[in-house]
Structures are given as structure tokens and as C-alpha cells.
């Protein structure tokens, strides 16, 4: 019934120190310790799994933000005149933004994946994102609308791109100013 090593230990304890009643108490204590160890190990495993899942979500959303920045960088560079305007490249970057803004991001933002819970070295997302009065959903919709507008404008010439870039930048900043740790 008991593992061999446990049986030997308990038999030795019984012979040397304990009577029958004390032996039952020792067995109950030993079994209790084993159960506590299994439950504790399971809880630690669950906590590690939760942390892994949270870190994976943070990595996914940071990857998406990197893709946003990459495409906005091209469009912004063209709007400023730092990069020569190219309708095909602008259209492709704007289409990328619009497509990215339409992805289901619900798994990227689990509660507890903020900079207080995971540390500022892991994420810049503030806990305010998950507060009851958060407007983060509205900000995301504003970004999606600005990205769609940019998709329609980007290939129509430099002036058209410049006309759409301001709203796109405001939609990014509107979320970052409120929900991202200041650098």
C-alpha cells in the first residue's frame, strides 16, 4: 500500500519509538505531508503556467505593437518628407495597419498582464487598462477607424497621406498617454 521506502521508515519508527496509536498518528502525518507536497507542487505549477500564459500574451501584443510601429514609421517618414513617397509602399503599409487593427486581440490583454503585476521590465501596460471605467476599447476602435482611413488615403498621393497621418498618430497617442507607462 505504501511505497517501500515509506513502509521501511514507518516500521523502523514503530519498532524503536512508537506504539500502535503513535504509529497511526505518524502515518497520518506522513500522508498529510505527502498530500500537502503534491497540492503545493500543483499550485506552484499552476502559478508558473499562469505566468507563462501572461508573458506569452504580453509578447504577442508587443509584437503587434512592433508591427504597428514599423508600418507607421514608413507612413510617418513619407509624411515628413524623410522617405520618398511611394504609393505602392504607402498602400501596403496602410493595408497592414488596417489588417492588424482588425485582429482579435482579446487574448493579448488578460487581466494581470500589467506592469505592476509582471514588472516594468516586462511590460509598460498600466493597470488602468483593466479598470471598470477604462476607455481602452474606445481607443482601440479609434485606432482601427484611423487605420482604415489611412488605408483609403495612403495610395492617393502625398497630400492624401499627410491628411490622414494626424488622426492615426492621435489615435496611437490617445491610448499610450493614458494606458502606457511614461518613459
Amino acid at each position: 500500500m505504501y511505497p517501500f521506502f515509506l513502509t521501511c521508515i514507518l516500521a523502523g519508527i514503530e519498532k524503536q519509538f512508537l506504539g500502535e496509536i503513535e504509529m497511526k498518528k505518524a502515518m497520518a502525518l506522513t500522508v498529510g505531508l505527502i498530500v500537502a507536497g503534491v497540492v503545493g507542487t500543483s499550485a506552484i505549477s499552476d502559478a508558473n503556467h499562469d505566468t507563462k500564459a501572461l508573458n506569452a500574451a504580453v509578447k504577442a501584443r508587443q509584437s503587434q505593437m512592433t508591427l504597428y510601429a514599423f508600418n507607421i514609421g514608413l507612413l510617418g517618414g513619407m509624411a515628413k518628407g524623410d522617405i520618398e513617397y511611394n504609393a505602392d509602399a504607402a498602400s501596403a503599409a496602410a493595408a497592414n495597419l488596417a489588417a492588424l487593427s482588425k485582429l482579435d486581440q482579446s487574448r493579448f490583454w488578460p487581466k494581470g498582464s500589467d506592469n505592476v503585476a509582471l514588472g516594468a521590465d516586462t511590460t509598460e501596460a498600466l493597470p488602468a487598462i483593466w479598470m471598470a471605467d477604462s476607455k481602452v476599447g474606445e481607443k482601440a476602435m479609434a485606432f482601427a477607424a484611423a487605420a482604415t482611413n489611412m488605408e483609403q488615403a495612403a495610395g492617393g498621393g502625398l497630400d492624401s497621406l499627410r491628411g490622414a497621418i494626424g488622426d492615426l498618430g492621435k489615435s496611437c497617442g490617445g491610448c499610450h498617454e493614458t494606458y502606457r507607462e511614461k518613459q
Side-chain angles (χ1 to χ4, degrees), residues 111 127-138 179:
K111 191 168 186 160
I129 292 170
W130 295 272
M131 302 295 267
D133 63 345
S134 175
K135 304 273 191 250
V136 74
E138 293 172 24
Y179 300 111

mmCIF file of all heavy atoms in Angstrom, residues 111 127-138 179:
data_model
loop_
_atom_site.group_PDB
_atom_site.id
_atom_site.type_symbol
_atom_site.label_atom_id
_atom_site.label_comp_id
_atom_site.label_asym_id
_atom_site.label_seq_id
_atom_site.Cartn_x
_atom_site.Cartn_y
_atom_site.Cartn_z
ATOM 1 N N LYS A 111 -6.239 40.082 -17.798
ATOM 2 C CA LYS A 111 -6.076 40.804 -16.539
ATOM 3 C C LYS A 111 -4.861 40.226 -15.815
ATOM 4 O O LYS A 111 -4.635 39.025 -15.823
ATOM 5 C CB LYS A 111 -7.332 40.652 -15.684
ATOM 6 C CG LYS A 111 -7.341 41.562 -14.505
ATOM 7 C CD LYS A 111 -8.705 41.606 -13.853
ATOM 8 C CE LYS A 111 -8.645 42.663 -12.756
ATOM 9 N NZ LYS A 111 -9.943 43.128 -12.384
ATOM 10 N N PRO A 127 -2.094 49.216 -15.163
ATOM 11 C CA PRO A 127 -3.287 48.515 -14.677
ATOM 12 C C PRO A 127 -4.595 49.229 -15.039
ATOM 13 O O PRO A 127 -5.650 48.603 -15.058
ATOM 14 C CB PRO A 127 -3.099 48.491 -13.153
ATOM 15 C CG PRO A 127 -1.654 48.707 -12.916
ATOM 16 C CD PRO A 127 -1.153 49.510 -14.076
ATOM 17 N N ALA A 128 -4.541 50.507 -15.358
ATOM 18 C CA ALA A 128 -5.738 51.277 -15.711
ATOM 19 C C ALA A 128 -6.474 50.678 -16.906
ATOM 20 O O ALA A 128 -7.680 50.897 -17.062
ATOM 21 C CB ALA A 128 -5.358 52.729 -16.007
ATOM 22 N N ILE A 129 -5.784 49.913 -17.733
ATOM 23 C CA ILE A 129 -6.414 49.274 -18.887
ATOM 24 C C ILE A 129 -7.583 48.397 -18.448
ATOM 25 O O ILE A 129 -8.611 48.336 -19.112
ATOM 26 C CB ILE A 129 -5.381 48.428 -19.685
ATOM 27 C CG1 ILE A 129 -4.367 49.335 -20.357
ATOM 28 C CG2 ILE A 129 -6.073 47.507 -20.692
ATOM 29 C CD1 ILE A 129 -3.180 48.611 -20.958
ATOM 30 N N TRP A 130 -7.436 47.740 -17.303
ATOM 31 C CA TRP A 130 -8.420 46.767 -16.850
ATOM 32 C C TRP A 130 -9.407 47.334 -15.825
ATOM 33 O O TRP A 130 -10.231 46.600 -15.307
ATOM 34 C CB TRP A 130 -7.697 45.545 -16.286
ATOM 35 C CG TRP A 130 -6.934 44.829 -17.355
ATOM 36 C CD1 TRP A 130 -7.405 43.851 -18.177
ATOM 37 C CD2 TRP A 130 -5.580 45.063 -17.751
ATOM 38 N NE1 TRP A 130 -6.431 43.458 -19.055
ATOM 39 C CE2 TRP A 130 -5.282 44.177 -18.817
ATOM 40 C CE3 TRP A 130 -4.579 45.918 -17.318
ATOM 41 C CZ2 TRP A 130 -4.050 44.135 -19.443
ATOM 42 C CZ3 TRP A 130 -3.348 45.886 -17.937
ATOM 43 C CH2 TRP A 130 -3.088 44.991 -18.993
ATOM 44 N N MET A 131 -9.354 48.614 -15.577
ATOM 45 C CA MET A 131 -10.279 49.239 -14.629
ATOM 46 C C MET A 131 -11.679 49.316 -15.254
ATOM 47 O O MET A 131 -11.820 49.376 -16.471
ATOM 48 C CB MET A 131 -9.805 50.642 -14.244
ATOM 49 C CG MET A 131 -8.406 50.674 -13.636
ATOM 50 S SD MET A 131 -8.320 49.824 -12.087
ATOM 51 C CE MET A 131 -8.609 51.190 -11.002
ATOM 52 N N ALA A 132 -12.689 49.358 -14.401
ATOM 53 C CA ALA A 132 -14.078 49.369 -14.869
ATOM 54 C C ALA A 132 -14.378 50.581 -15.745
ATOM 55 O O ALA A 132 -15.155 50.491 -16.691
ATOM 56 C CB ALA A 132 -15.023 49.331 -13.674
ATOM 57 N N ASP A 133 -13.746 51.716 -15.462
ATOM 58 C CA ASP A 133 -14.015 52.931 -16.234
ATOM 59 C C ASP A 133 -13.051 53.134 -17.405
ATOM 60 O O ASP A 133 -13.008 54.205 -18.006
ATOM 61 C CB ASP A 133 -13.988 54.158 -15.314
ATOM 62 C CG ASP A 133 -12.631 54.387 -14.676
ATOM 63 O OD1 ASP A 133 -11.770 53.472 -14.691
ATOM 64 O OD2 ASP A 133 -12.407 55.493 -14.141
ATOM 65 N N SER A 134 -12.306 52.098 -17.744
ATOM 66 C CA SER A 134 -11.330 52.181 -18.836
ATOM 67 C C SER A 134 -12.014 52.480 -20.167
ATOM 68 O O SER A 134 -13.075 51.952 -20.479
ATOM 69 C CB SER A 134 -10.557 50.866 -18.942
ATOM 70 O OG SER A 134 -9.700 50.887 -20.066
ATOM 71 N N LYS A 135 -11.368 53.304 -20.929
ATOM 72 C CA LYS A 135 -11.858 53.657 -22.272
ATOM 73 C C LYS A 135 -10.975 53.011 -23.347
ATOM 74 O O LYS A 135 -10.947 53.447 -24.489
ATOM 75 C CB LYS A 135 -11.856 55.182 -22.458
ATOM 76 C CG LYS A 135 -12.648 55.935 -21.416
ATOM 77 C CD LYS A 135 -14.086 56.033 -21.816
ATOM 78 C CE LYS A 135 -14.810 57.011 -20.926
ATOM 79 N NZ LYS A 135 -15.739 56.395 -20.024
ATOM 80 N N VAL A 136 -10.226 51.992 -22.960
ATOM 81 C CA VAL A 136 -9.272 51.383 -23.878
ATOM 82 C C VAL A 136 -9.972 50.791 -25.110
ATOM 83 O O VAL A 136 -9.437 50.854 -26.222
ATOM 84 C CB VAL A 136 -8.374 50.351 -23.161
ATOM 85 C CG1 VAL A 136 -9.113 49.068 -22.854
ATOM 86 C CG2 VAL A 136 -7.114 50.080 -23.954
ATOM 87 N N GLY A 137 -11.158 50.257 -24.934
ATOM 88 C CA GLY A 137 -11.902 49.723 -26.080
ATOM 89 C C GLY A 137 -12.237 50.810 -27.085
ATOM 90 O O GLY A 137 -12.123 50.612 -28.303
ATOM 91 N N GLU A 138 -12.639 51.963 -26.583
ATOM 92 C CA GLU A 138 -12.936 53.093 -27.463
ATOM 93 C C GLU A 138 -11.675 53.555 -28.193
ATOM 94 O O GLU A 138 -11.727 53.901 -29.373
ATOM 95 C CB GLU A 138 -13.521 54.253 -26.656
ATOM 96 C CG GLU A 138 -14.886 53.966 -26.079
ATOM 97 C CD GLU A 138 -15.355 55.054 -25.122
ATOM 98 O OE1 GLU A 138 -14.879 56.207 -25.222
ATOM 99 O OE2 GLU A 138 -16.198 54.732 -24.267
ATOM 100 N N TYR A 179 -2.633 54.790 -21.051
ATOM 101 C CA TYR A 179 -2.517 53.383 -20.644
ATOM 102 C C TYR A 179 -1.119 52.790 -20.753
ATOM 103 O O TYR A 179 -0.966 51.593 -20.540
ATOM 104 C CB TYR A 179 -3.511 52.551 -21.462
ATOM 105 C CG TYR A 179 -4.938 52.997 -21.233
ATOM 106 C CD1 TYR A 179 -5.664 53.625 -22.238
ATOM 107 C CD2 TYR A 179 -5.544 52.790 -20.002
ATOM 108 C CE1 TYR A 179 -6.972 54.029 -22.016
ATOM 109 C CE2 TYR A 179 -6.841 53.205 -19.774
ATOM 110 C CZ TYR A 179 -7.550 53.825 -20.788
ATOM 111 O OH TYR A 179 -8.843 54.229 -20.564
#
